[in-house]
Amino acid sequence: SNYESWMNEEDFKDNYLSKTSARCCDNWFSDKGTGCPDPGSAVNPEAEDEALSGGLVAYYFPEFDKNNCGFGIDYPAWMGVNGYEKHYLYTSGQECCDRYFEGVGGCPHETTHDGGYFWSQYEDELPNDQAMPAVYNHTYYPLLERGTCVNGTDYPDWMATDDDYRRMYLFKDLEGCCQQWFSDFDVQGCVGSVVQGFYDYVPCVENRDDSGCVETSSVTNTTAHQLAMFYPRFGSNTCGNDGDMPSWMLSADYAEYYLYSTMTQCCAAFGFGCG
């Protein structure tokens, strides 16, 4: 039962779930021959629980800051939860390298388990009397016109239309967004030019005991918020945020398409050279 939940939905289960390994292999990996099915054990559906349950399993995982695949249980916690483990944790180093760093020499850069947990790297770098760094529930989505990703929840509504679109367009980390959308273009350029967008809520801290924290809206006055956004000035092929946009741009039918949190997003949407 270790498959993505969407595979069991009516429109997908006939294609993705097979009664026999032979049928699955024929449908999806006929070129692998005897290499299918994979004899290795399946990834735990919620791999981040392994550190708590004691069933520790070391995996190969992408380390984007090193442009290589690592090995161990020191992968970031988010890689082992909410279905991400099927995309980021591998029992084979070659699979990890082929997926994320194809052609990179010396991949994976480690093949033995170092014994550390994913939080150890933070503990080692901080004095004992200093608090652990806060980890926030961030969201990234591609800004296709500029070859980079935006950090914010101000993505177009259609990117969250259903689970398939959310899986394709919304990411919990910058590297994953850049790798997915700009691997054939310029991943490092994407990472280096991330656009800070807007969060329509105040996120709780993920690695703290915030049982009383409620993610609240960061917009208390919709009209004032819209008047401070960037809008296109077609006469000069630029964008501005002086609040002097035509009134029709503020209507519910047009605001999503004409009002943007940053100049970069606005200029990219209309093909202007600004931003």
Side-chain angles (χ1 to χ4, degrees):
S1 62
N2 184 34
Y3 50 79
E4 298 278 9
S5 59
W6 60 267
M7 291 184 177
N8 197 37
E9 295 177 3
E10 194 63 33
D11 294 336
F12 299 102
K13 62 183 180 181
D14 288 342
N15 291 325
Y16 287 92
L17 302 182
S18 305
K19 295 292 186 182
T20 66
S21 59
R23 180 183 175 189
C24 177
C25 292
D26 287 342
N27 287 345
W28 292 98
F29 306 104
S30 58
D31 60 321
K32 288 186 175 293
T34 57
C36 184
D38 185 349
S41 59
V43 173
N44 187 311
E46 296 296 346
E48 94 289 359
D49 291 339
E50 294 178 353
L52 302 177
S53 65
L56 300 179
V57 176
Y59 296 109
Y60 291 94
F61 61 95
E63 293 190 84
F64 295 106
D65 58 334
K66 296 180 180 178
N67 198 40
N68 213 311
C69 286
F71 179 73
I73 58 175
D74 54 334
Y75 47 83
W78 62 265
M79 288 188 180
V81 68
N82 295 335
Y84 289 118
E85 68 279 346
K86 299 177 182 66
H87 304 286
Y88 292 96
L89 303 183
Y90 296 85
T91 55
S92 163
Q94 190 62 51
E95 287 186 46
C96 177
C97 294
D98 288 345
R99 173 66 178 83
Y100 289 101
F101 308 107
E102 187 175 7
V104 173
C107 187
H109 74 85
E110 59 181 353
T111 56
T112 57
H113 174 34
D114 60 13
Y117 295 92
F118 66 86
W119 57 78
S120 299
Q121 58 183 309
Y122 301 114
E123 292 177 337
D124 293 342
E125 294 171 357
L126 294 175
N128 290 335
D129 60 352
Q130 186 170 341
M132 288 280 285
V135 177
Y136 293 95
N137 182 23
H138 284 174
T139 298
Y140 297 87
Y141 65 93
L143 184 61
L144 301 176
E145 300 88 349
R146 289 300 169 91
T148 189
C149 294
V150 179
N151 177 13
T153 55
D154 50 350
Y155 46 80
D157 290 344
W158 60 265
M159 287 189 177
T161 301
D162 56 32
D163 288 343
D164 292 331
Y165 277 92
R166 281 189 286 270
R167 275 189 289 270
M168 185 179 300
Y169 290 99
L170 305 183
F171 300 81
K172 305 307 294 183
D173 70 295
L174 173 59
E175 291 81 2
C177 177
C178 290
Q179 186 69 39
Q180 174 68 27
W181 283 98
F182 308 109
S183 58
D184 295 331
F185 178 55
D186 183 6
V187 173
Q188 294 308 313
C190 168
V191 172
S193 59
V194 60
V195 176
Q196 181 57 57
F198 177 77
Y199 278 86
D200 57 9
Y201 64 90
V202 179
C204 294
V205 180
E206 285 192 327
N207 62 340
R208 295 287 191 278
D209 181 13
D210 280 348
S211 55
C213 178
V214 177
E215 293 184 341
T216 57
S217 174
S218 57
V219 179
T220 57
N221 186 319
T222 301
T223 300
H225 173 68
Q226 288 183 324
L227 288 173
M229 297 179 75
F230 288 85
Y231 67 95
R233 294 169 172 167
F234 295 108
S236 58
N237 287 343
T238 187
C239 291
N241 65 336
D242 55 7
D244 194 28
M245 69 279 288
S247 58
W248 58 266
M249 289 187 182
L250 300 172
S251 69
D253 292 335
Y254 297 103
E256 178 184 356
Y257 306 102
Y258 289 92
L259 303 182
Y260 295 86
S261 302
T262 68
M263 178 175 285
T264 298
Q265 292 167 285
C266 178
C267 293
F270 293 96
F272 299 158
C274 53

